[in-house]
Amino acid sequence: MTAIAAQAAPQAPRHSAQPYSPAHAYAAAPSRRFERVAVSSIFGDPMDRRTWSAAPYNVASCLQKLGIAVEGIHSGGTRGERGLLALHYMMTGYGRPHSSEAVLRLDSARRKAAERLAETARRRRIRHILHTGTLDLPPVDREDGVKHYLYCDQTWALSLAHRTDLSDYSQRAVDSFEESERAALDSVEHIFTFGHYVRDHMIAHYGLPPEKVTAVGSGMGQIEPYDQPKDYSRPHLLFVAKHLFVAKGGNLLVEAFRIAQAERPDLLLNIVGDPASAGHVATHPGIHFHPHLPWRELQRLYRVSSLLAQPMLNDPWGQVYLEALLSRTPVIGLRRNGLPEIVENGQHGFLVEDADPQALASTILDALSDPQRLTEMGWSGQQHVLQTYSWDAVANRIAFG
């Protein structure tokens, strides 16, 4: 197939506009939830792009475009405080903490973060707080009339199904953190989730009223839509992991790639990761490792790749999937967490049932065997992303939903 032929794709279906009626003309404009709000994050300054893949920054920026005054609050503590909390973690009988996340899930850690957040909000006279995660909840200032909201991509209970570090947690810790999560979710005015699957889980597992939880999606980073000719006959794969190489499926993919390349020697895999991940990628023909790239170069790799092969073991959503689809690059991943929703159960990508190298290799070979199918998936995936996911839409749903 030529590059020009590969660009051809079906025309988007035309949707008829909603018929006009006097009721629409005189309907009252929806009121905003707040005119001023603080966005909080326990992992860093929420107004900094480096915090939580820039999700807090993007939400805050788009709320500001709506005329809402937004301030950021970092609710995390010092390294010394985390050291004391780690000691408390062991004294509580939870074992030895293997990550900062484990320490921050302690009831005492949550309370310290909530108190720090409440004090900052009180000093700034803030009455509405949008949390980007549950680790600075439940709130300690509800009696003061402060309203709390939550924007999140997962829950503790959902993470247990595929956590790669689950063996590091004692059963006592698992049960305690579940109780804390339940209390956090019960304590807020409204919850906004990335995916519908998270919303459904919160209602079914935690018993939250459906009217309290709204799926609002997410947006993307700086990747721009691609509309130029694209040749899907070239078997070029891409994998992107700025951190957590193993948890994002890097080792699984490398093993699968070796199996697939034995059958198709022309396969090429570009891996983008932090320099520390290079040790996971032994010298192998066909695998090119790139330390952190400038954004424009990463965008170029999205555009020249035929497939994003990203078998993430336990990522609740995956901005990388959206960025690939925006570039008209279909994706391959595991049938878990947010990916089935993002690709509409296989319309814009390929879902592998188990984290098995042979199954992944077979799916890669099958996907690359039909460039025309990739062409159609790339086009439909881009349309789906453009119509469904944007930070402006997220902000609107949070402010007015």
Side-chain angles (χ1 to χ4, degrees):
M1 180 190 306
T2 66
I4 298 299
Q7 186 188 19
Q11 293 299 308
R14 295 184 179 274
H15 299 284
S16 58
Q18 188 176 21
Y20 171 84
S21 74
H24 295 140
Y26 296 104
S31 59
R32 293 198 290 217
R33 294 180 190 273
F34 36 67
E35 298 299 322
R36 182 178 180 230
V37 66
V39 176
S40 79
S41 172
I42 199 167
F43 294 113
D45 179 3
M47 307 304 280
D48 189 323
R49 286 182 181 272
R50 293 170 294 182
T51 300
W52 195 32
S53 300
Y57 168 86
N58 285 315
V59 170
S61 298
C62 291
L63 287 173
Q64 288 174 329
K65 288 197 290 184
L66 294 174
I68 295 171
V70 183
E71 299 182 33
I73 300 178
H74 175 207
S75 57
T78 65
R79 181 175 298 181
E81 180 184 294
R82 289 195 296 273
L84 292 174
L85 288 169
L87 181 62
H88 182 207
Y89 189 100
M90 291 186 284
M91 293 178 62
T92 306
Y94 291 169
R96 184 180 180 85
H98 291 269
S99 68
S100 60
E101 180 206 344
V103 169
L104 294 173
R105 286 191 177 278
L106 285 169
D107 284 341
S108 55
R110 287 174 179 266
R111 182 164 186 85
K112 283 181 179 295
E115 289 173 346
R116 191 159 39 237
L117 178 60
E119 174 57 32
T120 303
R122 190 176 301 116
R123 188 170 64 250
R124 299 185 192 176
R125 299 182 179 180
I126 293 170
R127 312 301 295 171
H128 298 269
I129 301 174
L130 176 64
H131 301 251
T132 53
T134 63
L135 299 183
D136 51 11
L137 285 166
V140 298
D141 56 3
R142 280 184 295 174
E143 293 183 359
D144 297 334
V146 178
K147 292 187 176 181
H148 294 259
Y149 310 86
L150 171 64
Y151 179 49
C152 63
D153 60 357
Q154 201 176 40
T155 70
W156 170 249
L158 262 178
S159 77
L160 296 180
H162 303 295
R163 287 193 77 100
T164 57
D165 62 349
L166 184 57
S167 62
D168 295 337
Y169 293 87
S170 68
Q171 189 59 49
R172 184 175 180 181
V174 169
D175 294 342
S176 174
F177 297 162
E178 171 69 352
E179 291 178 13
S180 298
E181 189 84 341
R182 187 177 296 276
L185 297 176
D186 285 341
S187 70
V188 296
E189 292 284 320
H190 201 90
I191 300 170
F192 308 98
T193 66
F194 278 51
H196 288 273
Y197 85 102
V198 181
R199 176 183 185 270
D200 294 343
H201 159 80
M202 287 182 173
I203 294 168
H205 179 79
Y206 289 102
L208 297 178
E211 62 273 14
K212 183 177 177 175
V213 192
T214 305
V216 298
S218 77
M220 287 153 283
Q222 301 174 54
I223 296 296
E224 299 171 354
Y226 182 61
D227 61 0
Q228 297 302 306
K230 184 161 182 168
D231 184 1
Y232 292 93
S233 67
R234 299 193 310 165
H236 289 190
L237 309 177
L238 176 64
F239 173 82
V240 181
K242 299 174 184 177
H243 61 291
L244 301 175
F245 183 88
V246 175
K248 291 184 181 294
N251 287 351
L252 172 61
L253 175 60
V254 168
E255 190 173 351
F257 179 81
R258 290 170 175 164
I259 296 172
Q261 196 186 44
E263 193 167 323
R264 184 159 179 179
D266 61 339
L267 285 183
L268 173 68
L269 171 60
N270 283 301
I271 293 179
V272 179
D274 65 276
S277 301
H280 294 282
V281 185
T283 302
H284 183 78
I287 299 181
H288 297 167
F289 182 82
H290 308 266
H292 284 316
L293 293 176
W295 202 258
R296 287 290 175 185
E297 179 60 16
L298 176 59
Q299 179 170 268
R300 186 191 69 81
L301 285 179
Y302 273 123
R303 293 176 173 185
V304 299
S305 301
S306 299
L307 282 168
L308 174 78
Q310 196 86 13
M312 293 195 280
L313 302 180
N314 194 31
D315 195 298
W317 191 240
Q319 299 295 99
V320 64
Y321 295 130
L322 299 178
E323 292 171 347
L325 293 175
L326 193 65
S327 308
R328 290 199 287 120
T329 301
V331 305
I332 288 179
L334 303 180
R335 188 186 291 275
R336 57 181 63 170
N337 295 330
L339 183 57
E341 183 173 325
I342 289 172
V343 300
E344 297 190 295
N345 284 312
Q347 291 188 49
H348 323 300
F350 302 84
L351 299 169
V352 182
E353 297 297 330
D354 301 307
D356 173 68
Q358 184 63 62
L360 179 58
S362 297
T363 304
I364 289 172
L365 291 170
D366 175 62
L368 293 171
S369 69
D370 190 346
Q372 181 57 37
R373 178 173 56 179
L374 294 179
T375 300
E376 294 167 358
M377 280 185 166
W379 183 88
S380 67
Q382 185 183 66
Q383 298 307 304
H384 172 60
V385 168
L386 287 171
Q387 295 168 11
T388 310
Y389 301 109
S390 79
W391 290 116
D392 284 322
V394 170
N396 270 282
R397 292 163 186 155
I398 290 175
F400 297 104

